[in-house]
């Protein structure tokens, strides 16, 4: 084995891997993004397309990504280099690793800004800013907050520093322990909030919006957004799960783990939707309010329910931790590459990678205030970045991962890595990555560029 592979760590147990991968998947994507894009894309029909994408593309591609990472045992670029040599494939396959690293940076730059909002809301909850407030006051609070670049920069900086610190210290040392308590905590709190949502006058209307499919509201762009979100929420298509898979101990069932992660991730997103939409309709708000949706709805609940002060603090603290366990996986491919390929120390690699994403984050910050008038292709910078990464780069990355795992990698190798309980399940997986997932991504892209 070469030195690069020996430098590479391993998760302390299979449980630690499952925790970390679930931590990567469950994050702002589930609680912040899913409700607002569902709101913007008309509800139920969008949710169905998203669920189909999770099942038909998400799970098989997650298995492929973990399996490839486990076989290559390095950062995405060098993993691809190892695998392409083993398979005798064309050298250009290693660009797939590169695209992942770039996508990770781009996503992290705006992810940290939004996670900064959650951080600021911990303080707002603590100081009682929501108490007794109605929807108008909560909206004003949010609008004033995002209008201030200085405040947004402050919280973005704090979050990015936390991410860099955790990654520099190695993942096993603190975060693993924190996530162990906070993830179940988040889950319990969501269930409690569902209980609260059920008491609202428009609970039924909220549920109807979320689960009743009205396909007339579905545009091709909604389909693209739903597919992109399936990749985003499962952390797929950019090498994050591939790097995590490279630290995977050999006794883990890749298939079972992938299904488990996908189910947990989906449940959290649906719970968030079940909470948010009844609040939206009961307070005369609009489901298509955009990225501020959870910040304009949940505080109303916290401001008016018994124990709301404490629940509000706990909720935003947990949201920040869920975001942290995702942000570290966004930066890890780049850090692993700098350490393994450029022989940089882990600390230095974190500083470089973090600093670059931090600076880029300013563009997102300004697109909510002083630069909101600047539009490229009809989108502000944040929207453009989100579209480029989630809707284009991740599905393209996922497409090539599926093609590589299904068509390029040798049959024996993928079978040996996946260790499926029987031949039949292996064949189903193979069919999905060879045909179903790539064809689905391809067809959706064809529609979007107007060929079909
Ligand atoms: N899955 C994370 C979330 O839902 C975001 C993420 C995307 C993390 C891509 C890693 C890679 O918040």
């Amino acid at each position: 084995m070469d030195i690069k592979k020996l430098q590479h760590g391993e998760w302390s147990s299979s449980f630690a891997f499952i925790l970390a991968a679930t931590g990567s998947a469950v994050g702002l994507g589930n609680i912040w993004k899913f409700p607002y894009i569902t709101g913007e894309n008309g509800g139920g029909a969008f949710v169905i397309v998203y669920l189909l994408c999770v099942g038909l593309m998400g799970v098989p591609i997650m298995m492929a990504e973990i399996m490839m990472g486990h076989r290559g045992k390095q950062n995405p670029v060098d993993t691809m280099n190892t695998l392409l040599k083993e398979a005798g494939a064309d050298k250009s396959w290693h660009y797939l690793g590169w695209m992942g690293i770039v996508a990770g940076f781009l996503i992290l730059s705006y992810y940290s800004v939004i996670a900064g909002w959650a951080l600021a809301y911990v303080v707002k909850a603590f100081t009682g800013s929501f108490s007794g407030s109605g929807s108008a006051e909560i909206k004003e609070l949010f609008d004033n907050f995002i209008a201030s670049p200085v405040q947004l920069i402050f919280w973005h900086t704090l979050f990015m520093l936390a991410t860099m610190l955790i990654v520099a210290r190695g993942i096993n040392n603190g975060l693993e322990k924190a996530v162990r308590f906070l993830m179940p905590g988040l889950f319990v709190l969501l269930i409690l909030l569902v209980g609260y949502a059920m008491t609202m006058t428009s609970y039924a209307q909220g549920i109807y919006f979320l689960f009743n499919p009205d396909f007339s509201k579905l545009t091709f762009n909604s389909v693209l957004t739903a597919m992109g979100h399936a990749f985003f929420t499962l952390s797929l298509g950019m090498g994050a799960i591939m790097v995590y898979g490279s630290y995977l101990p050999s006794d883990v069932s890749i298939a079972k783990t992938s299904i488990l992660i996908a189910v947990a991730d989906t449940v959290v997103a649906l719970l968030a939707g079940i909470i948010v939409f009844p609040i939206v309709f009961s307070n005369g708000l609009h489901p298509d309010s955009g990225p501020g949706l959870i910040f304009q709805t949940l505080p109303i609940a916290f401001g008016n329910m018994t124990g709301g002060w404490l629940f509000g603090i706990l909720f935003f603290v947990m949201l920040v931790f869920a975001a942290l366990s995702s942000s570290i996986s966004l930066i890890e491919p780049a850090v692993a590459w700098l350490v393994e390929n450029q022989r940089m120390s882990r600390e230095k690699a974190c500083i470089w990678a973090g600093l670059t994403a931090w600076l880029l984050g300013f563009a997102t910050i300004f697109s909510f205030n002083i630069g909101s008038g600047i539009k490229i292709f009809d989108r502000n910078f944040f929207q453009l970045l989100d579209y480029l990464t989630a809707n284009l780069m991740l599905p393209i990355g996922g497409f090539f991962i599926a093609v590589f795992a299904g068509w390029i990698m040798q049959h024996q190798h993928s079978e040996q890595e996946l260790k499926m309980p029987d031949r039949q399940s292996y064949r189903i997986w193979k069919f999905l990555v060879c045909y179903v997932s790539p064809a689905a991504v391809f067809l959706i892209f064809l529609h979007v560029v107007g060929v079909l």
Side-chain angles (χ1 to χ4, degrees), residues 27-28 30-32 35 118-119 121-122 125 130 182 185-193 268 271-272 275-276 294-295 297-299 302 305 307-323:
L28 296 176
N30 309 62
I31 294 169
W32 159 74
L119 207 51
Y121 268 61
V122 172
F130 313 143
L182 289 160
L186 181 67
F187 192 73
V188 172
L189 207 62
L190 285 174
I191 302 277
L192 278 175
L193 287 172
V268 172
L271 286 177
I275 297 163
V276 168
I294 66 158
F295 297 95
T297 47
L298 297 180
F302 299 134
M305 67 199 272
W309 176 74
L310 185 65
F311 288 146
I313 300 171
L314 286 176
F315 176 83
F316 285 111
V317 166
M318 287 169 185
L319 186 58
V320 169
F321 274 91

Side-chain angles (χ1 to χ4, degrees), residues 43-54 210-215 226:
F46 173 84
V47 175
I48 290 191
V49 179
Y50 151 76
L51 291 176
L52 279 175
C53 291
V54 167
L210 191 61
F211 292 114
N212 181 59
D214 175 357
F215 285 97

Side-chain angles (χ1 to χ4, degrees), residues 23-33 104 107 111 229 231-241 265 322-323 325-327 329-330 394:
S24 166
V26 176
L28 296 176
N30 309 62
I31 294 169
W32 159 74
K33 197 172 181 193
I107 296 176
Y111 203 86
H229 188 64
F231 284 97
F232 183 90
T233 191
L234 295 174
S235 309
L236 295 178
M238 56 139 289
I241 290 291
D265 188 82
S325 63
S326 301
S327 65
S329 71
L330 284 163
L394 300 186

Side-chain angles (χ1 to χ4, degrees), residues 351-374:
I351 293 175
W352 278 113
L355 208 65
T356 319
W358 176 74
L359 273 176
L360 192 64
F362 281 55
T364 290
I365 289 179
F366 298 148
S367 68
F368 289 109
N369 35 66
I370 51 176
S372 60
I374 304 173

Side-chain angles (χ1 to χ4, degrees), residues 86-337:
E86 191 180 62
D90 193 88
K91 272 196 91 158
S92 36
W93 275 102
H94 83 283
Y95 289 120
L96 183 54
W98 274 116
M99 190 173 76
I101 290 184
V102 174
F105 261 122
L106 298 180
I107 296 176
L108 180 62
S109 76
Y110 70 80
Y111 203 86
S112 166
V113 173
I114 311 292
W117 296 1
L119 207 51
Y121 268 61
V122 172
V123 177
K124 291 194 198 303
F126 185 78
T127 55
S129 306
F130 313 143
S131 137
S133 300
S135 55
E137 286 119 314
I138 295 290
K139 183 172 174 351
E140 196 183 310
L141 187 77
F142 178 75
D143 289 343
N144 288 339
F145 171 60
I146 62 163
S148 155
V150 178
Q151 287 198 50
L152 299 197
I153 290 173
F154 175 77
W155 296 108
H156 164 56
T157 309
L158 220 58
F159 185 84
M160 193 64 90
L161 278 175
T163 302
M164 286 155 70
L165 210 71
I166 293 167
V167 178
R169 290 184 55 202
I171 315 177
N172 307 38
N173 288 343
L175 193 83
E176 206 178 294
K177 291 192 195 90
V179 170
R180 216 170 267 233
F181 293 105
L182 289 160
M183 296 269 285
L186 181 67
F187 192 73
V188 172
L189 207 62
L190 285 174
I191 302 277
L192 278 175
L193 287 172
V194 169
Y196 174 76
M198 286 169 100
T199 66
M200 308 220 71
T201 44
S202 300
Y203 178 68
Q205 197 186 345
I207 297 298
Y208 186 81
F209 179 79
L210 191 61
F211 292 114
N212 181 59
D214 175 357
F215 285 97
S216 68
K217 286 189 183 149
L218 210 61
T219 62
F220 285 136
N221 233 333
S222 311
V223 174
L224 179 70
T225 307
M227 170 176 74
H229 188 64
F231 284 97
F232 183 90
T233 191
L234 295 174
S235 309
L236 295 178
M238 56 139 289
I241 290 291
M242 194 185 278
V243 176
Y244 275 21
S246 72
Y247 305 113
L248 177 76
S250 290
D251 58 343
V252 178
S253 156
I254 295 180
K256 271 194 214 142
T257 312
S258 303
I259 295 173
L260 195 79
I261 296 170
V263 169
D265 188 82
T266 308
V267 169
V268 172
L270 292 177
L271 286 177
I274 294 175
I275 297 163
V276 168
F277 290 111
I279 304 180
V280 166
F281 293 115
S282 304
N283 290 281
L285 298 165
H286 300 288
D288 58 351
S289 308
L293 189 64
I294 66 158
F295 297 95
Q296 290 170 7
T297 47
L298 297 180
I300 305 177
F302 299 134
N304 295 288
M305 67 199 272
T306 6
W309 176 74
L310 185 65
F311 288 146
I313 300 171
L314 286 176
F315 176 83
F316 285 111
V317 166
M318 287 169 185
L319 186 58
V320 169
F321 274 91
L324 270 175
S325 63
S326 301
S327 65
I328 58 173
S329 71
L330 284 163
I331 202 176
E332 183 66 23
V335 170
W337 180 80

Side-chain angles (χ1 to χ4, degrees), residues 17 61-70 241 245 248 254 258:
F17 168 78
I61 291 179
M62 182 178 290
M63 290 171 62
E65 225 184 294
I66 298 178
M67 179 268 284
M68 285 162 66
H70 189 239
I241 290 291
L248 177 76
I254 295 180
S258 303

